[in-house]
Amino acid sequence: MTKSVTDVICPFCGTLCDDLEVVVSDDGKTIVDVYNACAIGAEKFMHAQASGRVTRPRMQQPDGSYKEVSYDEAVEYTAQMLAKSKKPLMYGWSSTSCEAQSVGHEIAEQVGAIVDNTATVCHGTTLLAVQDVGIPSCTLGEVKNRADRIIFWGCNPCHAHPRHMSRYSIFPRGFFTNKGHKNRKMIVVDPRNTDTAKMADIHFQIEQGRDYELLSALRVALRKEVLPDTVAGVPKEKIYEAAELLTSGRFGIIFFGMGVTQTLSKNHNIDEAIMLTKDLNEFTKFSIMAMRGHYNVTGSGQVLGWQFGYPFCVDLSRGFARYNPGETSSNDLLRRGEVDAVFVLGSDPGAHFPISSVKKISELPSVAVDPHITPTTEVAKLHVPVAFVGVEVGGNCYRMDNVPIDARKVVDPPEGVLTDEEFLTRVNKRVKELMEA
Amino acid sequence: MSEYLIKNGFVFDPVQGIKGDKADIAVKDGKIVKSSEISSKAKTIDAKGKSVMAGAVEIHAHIAGPKVNEGRNYRPEEKLFGYTPKKTGSRMAGGFSIPTTFKTGYEYARMGYTTAMEAAMPPLYARHVHEEIKDTPIIDEGAYPVFGNNWFVLEYLKNKEIENVAAYIAWLLTETKGYAVKIVNPGGTEAWGWGLNCISIHDPVPYFDVTPAQIVQGLLEANEYLGLPHSIHVHTNNLGNPGNYETTLDTFKLAEGYKAKNKFGREQVLHHTHVQFHSYGGDNWGNFESKSKEIMEYVNKHDNITIDLGQVTLDETTTMTADGPFEHHLTELNHLKWANVDVELETAAGIVPYIYSPNIKVCGIQWAIGLELALLAKDPMRTFITTDHPNAGPFTRYPRVMKWLMSEKARKDQIDAFKYSDKVVAATHLASLDRELTMYELAQMTRAGPAKALGLAHLYGGLKPGMDADIAIYDLNPEKPATPDEIEAAFSRARYVMKSGTPVVVDGEIVSHGNKRTLWVNAKVNENPQVVRDIKDKFLRYYSVNQANYKVANHFVPNPYIIEVDATQ
């Protein structure tokens, strides 16, 4: 007989679906099936079962081979590395729980580290824009219950946030939207003809990197001022039409992704998108929301916020918190050779950072804490495997709209494998001893 | 367990009616006891020439939760100066109007505050509020979930179903580990879902077709039906607009004829918060004027109402409120960055930085109104000092507010420093008020009064044997007159602070994180299948989270103090 665990939270993307059903074997040790999840989410659960999983820390040897070490040795290596380092980088934090992040910050405060999360190569530009001009937003349930104008700008939820449209933004029948998608007009702005774009009522296939111009043009169109014949490859008639469509709605929202945050103009794009949203509030109700990637990158920003006052790029090396993206951001620090040790948890910079940064990581004392074997664990001196948060251990996570949801444990981790929080707690204790000595 | 004897201090304790007499305070096992109950091993603390009071109680501040944290994260400029490094026994701490959680705990404790209430908790974000509370050291905290724009409440009150509202309140307090019923811009914030507002208490809420007056009165009745420790805690409609004092008086009148029903010694049925923002006359910013006399005349005559000030401190600060439409109005006014979050089925919130400049006439008038409310109060047990932190100014300015209230000279100096002092004087009554609050009255306004209004008079606000040993010692000798600046300095850095019998501040410095507790109310009601069914239905159809993932689990509240209420009769 198998049993079913309900209301399970999916630890994959920022959509943070909380309606999964996971079927586990009678002894509660293996996952048999996953219902309600998207293909990526289901794979995350099934992957925890994969054979050949690393279950003990591994130290890289000079010849590139690995030697299994105990967790005690891994704790000692990590604590020594951090305590000795003058300016360590502690990066990642987006695929773990807030409880683990909190312990990590305590370590960072003691050793004078820089704490940075994946926003640094993702929605960090959004955070900068919010610091410039604010952000009118809402929860995803508001979108479900009220929204009749939906814009996806530079994002492709069909593939990156697969259940976003069915749970919140396009298809659900909400309180004031009882006809579901028939109540809604969908606009997609993307230079590519993506699967999301194919579903749209209007697809602006703009010239690449011209988002700022089109956003500005929409603000002009709202004011019924004069536009040139085409902007960003879009004829002006279409822009006036879109402005009319947006103002005629009752409640609208712009969802945006990496297509605007990490292309030409970066944070300036988001400044303009937020100002467009603010302008639209003169006519109707409008919100804007970042399509956050990792399931708990939002949580990392929150915990850093209440503990230190900044959402990412937090430099604790001077004994008090500083924040200066461009100076205290991971890639800038790595490429300038400003850090002398690297600790990674809950992210894979080896796969996502520029090769120049990854090379630096490979040259430094480094620890990667990750359940998987990843490009990062391959370059790190020490790989510490841990339990999957949201599968093998619970913990708090924040959805892309900042709503906190407590992830559930479904099965036990492989015997003897520590959780992020347990490993960090042991490192913290050891660091304390070393710093006091 | 540890024992202490605080000797020779001048004691101010409204609970026992001690008005500055020399008395010894004995402490054993975290509680205040009779001097005869401690052994000779008790540690003696000499408070000679100093004033001794109970730890102060904050009744209304925004110190934990989603909007506070959005304020922190979107204002890095706030932390450029004044960050303090990590020390032995304390974490690094920064921020001014929206300090980090660590700084929040430390700063309250240094001023002799040992309990604080988070004034607006969006239920869907309750877990976040409790995560921050957990990380705020020393002080005991509770949080008020917001009810005034909640769809359950709106639907039940349209049909005057008080018992259903009560059952829903009981359920939500338990789910969110909340403390009291908060009402912010009743109906107006739901209207904000469509970009609209309810300006008067008789404007119907769009679609739900119920009025703010019905919401306030219905929640008041449900609150007394349950017999909760605190009354409804109201921020009424029309905040911040010239001429709004009439809306405020209309709201007060909703409480007429109601008597408190509870076992906690609370006497009011309605607490109105930050009344300064609701006491404006005139009909534009040109003829804007104080209506504090009209407001206080009503409050003085009606002892089933309590208020707090919302005193403007003349600083650059960060406004944040569940009054979503107001923050939009404010950003249109000052053009500073605007953050907003609408929360499904429940509430909304907005944030805008604001500069209360002494060079702006309106700011000067606002400053005067807050002080007038306190100085015109006949009963200091019903008027409490707040800055509605951080809305009218950061809580760290309480010592300055106390200085203004205790010294006519300090007030006059400030009035003279205004750019438009003549206009401020002409639009207010402050210049004609010569009252100076006494230490005893201050203890009523910051200790015994708020503790009683919160239904916590058995724990906080006094130095009677049996109460919690929350004690503050200040460098103020009532036998020697203090200058205004000495008053401010003494209240800024208490000489010694004890929380539940543990010394937490010695010579103005943090020495311990104490053993902070989270207060929440567990109200029991009779089984109510309709409400159970309605809750299930709303989660199935309209919420974006499952019902099973809504409740704040116990591990988020590691050290709870649960107040039991039984309304099953």
Side-chain angles (χ1 to χ4, degrees):
Chain A
M1 269 296 284
T2 55
K3 55 186 175 184
S4 190
V5 188
T6 58
D7 306 294
V8 174
I9 288 86
C10 176
F12 176 65
C13 79
T15 311
L16 212 61
C17 303
D18 72 331
D19 61 342
L20 272 54
E21 268 184 60
V22 180
V23 182
V24 294
S25 62
D26 193 27
D27 59 2
K29 281 185 179 157
T30 38
I31 295 172
V32 179
D33 213 340
V34 182
Y35 293 109
N36 296 348
C38 68
I40 318 174
E43 188 53 33
K44 179 116 193 198
F45 283 88
M46 301 313 284
H47 190 71
Q49 312 284 309
S51 61
R53 183 170 158 188
V54 179
T55 55
R56 288 294 175 273
R58 310 179 300 154
M59 192 78 81
Q60 205 175 81
Q61 302 302 303
D63 65 357
S65 67
Y66 286 94
K67 184 184 141 201
E68 190 179 301
V69 295
S70 68
Y71 273 106
D72 288 340
E73 287 169 284
V75 167
E76 186 63 24
Y77 177 88
T78 310
Q80 291 281 0
M81 176 189 91
L82 291 170
K84 277 184 200 152
S85 163
K86 281 190 178 135
K87 198 171 180 177
L89 171 64
M90 296 180 75
Y91 173 79
W93 309 109
S94 301
S95 290
T96 190
S97 66
C98 295
E99 289 84 349
Q101 289 160 2
S102 199
V103 183
H105 298 171
E106 226 179 305
I107 300 171
E109 193 169 318
Q110 293 184 72
V111 301
I114 285 130
V115 186
D116 197 6
N117 59 39
T118 54
T120 207
V121 287
C122 188
H123 273 288
T125 51
T126 305
L127 302 172
L128 295 182
V130 172
Q131 288 163 354
D132 284 342
V133 294
I135 183 165
S137 194
C138 63
T139 65
L140 288 165
E142 280 288 278
V143 179
K144 169 177 163 175
N145 288 320
R146 295 185 206 261
D148 56 1
R149 299 288 183 269
I150 315 285
I151 304 177
F152 290 110
W153 200 306
C155 57
N156 184 11
C158 270
H159 294 280
H161 299 86
R163 296 184 70 213
H164 190 280
M165 288 188 287
S166 57
R167 273 176 69 80
Y168 313 118
S169 52
I170 300 293
F171 298 108
R173 293 159 192 263
F175 193 81
F176 296 105
T177 51
N178 57 4
K179 290 184 184 145
H181 76 281
K182 287 182 186 151
N183 276 111
R184 298 183 171 98
K185 291 285 177 200
M186 175 178 172
I187 301 179
V188 173
V189 185
D190 202 311
R192 306 167 302 165
N193 191 18
T194 61
D195 285 341
T196 307
K198 284 174 193 152
M199 294 168 59
D201 294 296
I202 301 176
H203 173 207
F204 287 136
Q205 195 160 11
I206 63 166
E207 291 167 12
Q208 194 177 348
R210 300 282 174 192
D211 303 275
Y212 191 93
E213 282 92 324
L214 186 58
L215 287 160
S216 300
L218 279 166
R219 294 183 70 191
V220 170
L222 287 183
R223 291 169 169 77
K224 301 206 169 14
E225 300 286 343
V226 184
L227 283 173
D229 288 344
T230 62
V231 178
V234 180
K236 68 175 178 187
E237 295 74 28
K238 294 277 177 202
I239 299 173
Y240 285 119
E241 216 174 277
E244 177 61 33
L245 183 72
L246 297 181
T247 52
S248 65
R250 292 186 302 176
F251 187 110
I253 182 151
I254 303 172
F255 291 106
F256 64 96
M258 308 269 289
V260 260
T261 66
Q262 294 295 342
T263 54
L264 194 69
S265 306
K266 295 199 165 188
N267 56 311
H268 302 288
N269 290 332
I270 315 307
D271 268 15
E272 197 63 8
I274 293 171
M275 290 313 285
L276 170 64
T277 311
K278 198 174 170 185
D279 288 353
L280 280 162
N281 274 287
E282 303 298 318
F283 300 89
T284 178
K285 192 69 196 288
F286 235 89
S287 286
I288 180 164
M289 193 185 298
M291 299 284 268
R292 305 302 297 269
H294 288 69
Y295 68 89
N296 199 26
V297 59
T298 314
S300 173
Q302 293 290 356
V303 182
L304 283 170
W306 78 65
Q307 297 191 341
F308 302 114
Y310 310 109
F312 73 128
C313 296
V314 183
D315 176 3
L316 307 174
S317 65
R318 296 192 194 179
F320 58 92
R322 281 174 74 247
Y323 166 78
N324 191 18
E327 183 206 344
T328 61
S329 30
S330 300
N331 280 298
D332 301 276
L333 289 162
L334 284 167
R335 293 170 67 171
R336 281 197 309 267
E338 281 191 26
V339 288
D340 54 358
V342 180
F343 175 90
V344 179
L345 186 148
S347 168
D348 184 10
H352 300 113
F353 276 12
I355 190 66
S356 49
S357 297
V358 181
K359 274 183 182 163
K360 293 279 187 184
I361 297 177
S362 73
E363 290 159 10
L364 291 169
S366 48
V367 177
V369 183
D370 202 305
H372 310 86
I373 295 175
T374 67
T376 310
T377 65
E378 292 303 284
V379 297
K381 301 287 171 294
L382 173 67
H383 171 207
V384 184
V386 280
F388 281 93
V389 174
V391 182
E392 296 162 345
V393 59
N396 203 26
C397 305
Y398 285 71
R399 201 165 64 184
M400 61 168 70
D401 55 357
N402 296 309
V403 169
I405 307 178
D406 202 9
R408 286 167 193 272
K409 175 180 171 167
V410 181
V411 287
D412 286 329
E415 207 178 324
V417 170
L418 297 185
T419 67
D420 290 331
E421 195 186 349
E422 286 165 349
F423 178 71
L424 287 165
T425 304
R426 286 173 65 176
V427 172
N428 188 26
K429 186 166 169 265
R430 185 66 186 127
V431 163
K432 219 170 257 175
E433 289 166 8
L434 292 169
M435 299 303 283
E436 278 164 12
Chain B
M1 282 292 282
S2 36
E3 300 177 334
Y4 296 89
L5 184 65
I6 298 168
K7 285 183 75 117
N8 301 323
F10 299 101
V11 174
F12 294 90
D13 179 16
V15 173
Q16 301 176 94
I18 306 175
K19 299 186 176 181
D21 300 338
K22 275 193 191 166
D24 294 347
I25 308 289
V27 173
K28 187 180 178 183
D29 298 346
K31 296 274 180 192
I32 292 170
V33 295
K34 287 184 188 146
S35 298
S36 56
E37 288 178 35
I38 53 170
S39 69
S40 57
K41 285 181 201 154
K43 192 174 176 233
T44 306
I45 293 147
D46 187 18
K48 193 171 178 228
K50 297 182 172 57
S51 296
V52 181
M53 291 186 186
V57 179
E58 167 71 272
I59 198 165
H60 184 107
H62 302 274
I63 45 179
K67 65 185 181 307
V68 182
N69 215 33
E70 182 72 25
R72 291 186 190 105
N73 273 340
Y74 103 140
R75 293 205 70 191
E77 68 273 18
E78 257 240 339
K79 285 154 288 249
L80 290 175
F81 308 104
Y83 223 106
T84 54
K86 173 184 161 54
K87 290 177 197 147
T88 322
S90 68
R91 302 280 300 261
M92 53 175 78
F96 176 68
S97 67
I98 21 175
T100 59
T101 52
F102 303 116
K103 186 163 181 178
T104 301
Y106 300 154
E107 291 295 324
Y108 267 120
R110 283 198 183 106
M111 299 189 306
Y113 276 72
T114 47
T115 305
M117 292 290 170
E118 159 55 44
M121 169 161 78
L124 185 61
Y125 288 89
R127 210 171 274 110
H128 180 169
V129 175
H130 284 292
E131 279 206 295
E132 287 198 26
I133 286 179
K134 192 168 76 171
D135 266 354
T136 307
I138 303 172
I139 54 173
D140 285 353
E141 281 179 280
Y144 311 151
V146 286
F147 284 92
N149 296 279
N150 184 299
W151 288 3
F152 291 90
V153 172
L154 301 184
E155 288 179 351
Y156 290 143
L157 286 180
K158 187 177 174 181
N159 305 321
K160 301 196 170 58
E161 297 164 7
I162 301 299
E163 274 187 48
N164 288 345
V165 175
Y168 176 73
I169 291 172
W171 177 81
L172 196 75
L173 287 177
T174 313
E175 289 282 303
T176 62
K177 310 262 189 288
Y179 189 79
V181 176
K182 176 74 187 296
I183 304 169
V184 182
N185 189 358
T189 299
E190 163 53 32
W192 179 238
W194 303 120
L196 307 170
N197 195 3
C198 297
I199 293 292
S200 90
I201 63 165
H202 302 298
D203 288 358
V205 184
Y207 175 79
F208 291 94
D209 202 26
V210 54
T211 65
Q214 288 171 292
I215 298 169
V216 172
Q217 210 150 27
L219 285 168
L220 188 159
E221 286 181 21
N223 196 91
E224 299 312 313
Y225 173 92
L226 289 168
L228 298 180
H230 191 32
S231 63
I232 53 167
H233 192 107
V234 183
H235 147 165
T236 195
N237 309 73
N238 208 7
L239 175 142
N241 292 324
N244 67 4
Y245 80 105
E246 287 175 349
T247 312
T248 314
L249 289 175
D250 287 346
T251 308
F252 288 170
K253 284 175 192 158
L254 296 172
E256 276 177 18
Y258 289 104
K259 222 171 133 41
K261 195 180 124 295
N262 66 97
K263 59 173 188 185
F264 301 96
R266 159 177 66 84
E267 288 178 27
Q268 90 281 9
V269 293
L270 186 153
H271 176 82
H272 200 297
T273 187
H274 43 66
V275 174
Q276 178 272 130
F277 287 122
H278 301 268
S279 305
Y280 301 157
D283 53 21
N284 62 57
W285 298 115
N287 62 16
F288 182 75
E289 60 175 354
S290 167
K291 287 290 177 187
S292 60
K293 277 197 172 158
E294 287 77 357
I295 293 287
M296 287 317 289
E297 203 173 308
Y298 187 92
V299 172
N300 286 335
K301 274 190 203 145
H302 295 83
D303 58 10
N304 65 349
I305 289 178
T306 56
I307 63 161
D308 66 78
L309 304 184
Q311 173 61 36
V312 165
T313 64
L314 304 169
D315 286 292
E316 175 178 329
T317 191
T318 314
T319 69
M320 51 183 66
T321 170
D323 194 338
F326 170 75
E327 291 290 0
H328 182 250
H329 176 67
L330 195 65
T331 191
E332 298 280 284
L333 204 68
N334 75 358
H335 302 292
L336 295 181
K337 55 190 176 186
W338 171 52
N340 179 79
V341 179
D342 292 353
V343 184
E344 60 211 55
L345 289 83
E346 294 176 351
T347 180
I351 316 167
V352 177
Y354 197 82
I355 300 161
Y356 291 98
S357 166
N359 295 334
I360 294 172
K361 183 193 79 171
V362 169
C363 297
I365 296 171
Q366 290 178 306
W367 170 82
I369 292 172
L371 297 175
E372 288 169 8
L373 295 170
L375 297 170
L376 291 169
K378 290 219 170 103
D379 183 0
M381 285 295 283
R382 292 196 291 117
T383 301
F384 316 131
I385 296 172
T386 66
T387 59
D388 183 19
H389 165 86
N391 285 308
F395 69 82
T396 46
R397 289 288 193 231
Y398 281 157
R400 191 165 290 175
V401 177
M402 293 168 187
K403 169 182 82 173
W404 286 323
L405 291 172
M406 292 177 77
S407 162
E408 193 191 0
K409 180 180 178 306
R411 297 198 290 269
K412 190 172 174 310
D413 288 349
Q414 183 56 59
I415 292 174
D416 290 344
F418 286 135
K419 186 170 178 185
Y420 301 103
S421 47
D422 294 349
K423 287 183 177 171
V424 171
V425 169
T428 61
H429 315 293
L430 190 65
S432 65
L433 298 174
D434 59 1
R435 182 175 176 189
E436 295 188 332
L437 291 189
T438 63
M439 288 286 277
Y440 187 76
E441 287 168 329
L442 196 81
Q444 290 178 301
M445 285 187 174
T446 55
R447 272 93 174 154
K452 183 178 171 187
L454 288 166
L456 293 169
H458 58 296
L459 286 181
Y460 306 139
L463 297 167
K464 200 175 162 185
M467 297 177 78
D468 272 19
D470 297 351
I471 304 167
I473 305 175
Y474 297 106
D475 266 335
L476 280 173
N477 184 339
E479 287 175 351
K480 287 185 194 158
T483 65
D485 288 345
E486 283 167 356
I487 296 174
E488 186 178 340
F491 284 120
S492 298
R493 288 287 176 269
R495 221 11 65 207
Y496 188 91
V497 180
M498 185 177 271
K499 173 67 197 154
S500 303
T502 306
V504 288
V505 174
V506 174
D507 292 332
E509 292 303 320
I510 302 298
V511 294
S512 162
H513 272 198
N515 192 23
K516 76 111 28 67
R517 292 176 297 190
T518 305
L519 302 140
W520 64 275
V521 174
N522 186 23
K524 284 190 190 66
V525 290
N526 291 320
E527 243 176 76
N528 188 324
Q530 188 194 336
V531 172
V532 172
R533 196 178 58 235
D534 289 347
I535 290 169
K536 199 175 160 197
D537 180 65
K538 286 261 192 303
F539 274 94
L540 273 175
R541 297 169 68 185
Y542 306 126
Y543 267 104
S544 63
V545 296
N546 282 8
Q547 190 181 340
N549 291 321
Y550 190 71
K551 192 184 182 89
V552 177
N554 287 332
H555 64 90
F556 286 98
V557 185
N559 193 15
Y561 185 91
I562 304 168
I563 294 170
E564 302 287 347
V565 173
D566 189 351
T568 52
Q569 297 311 308

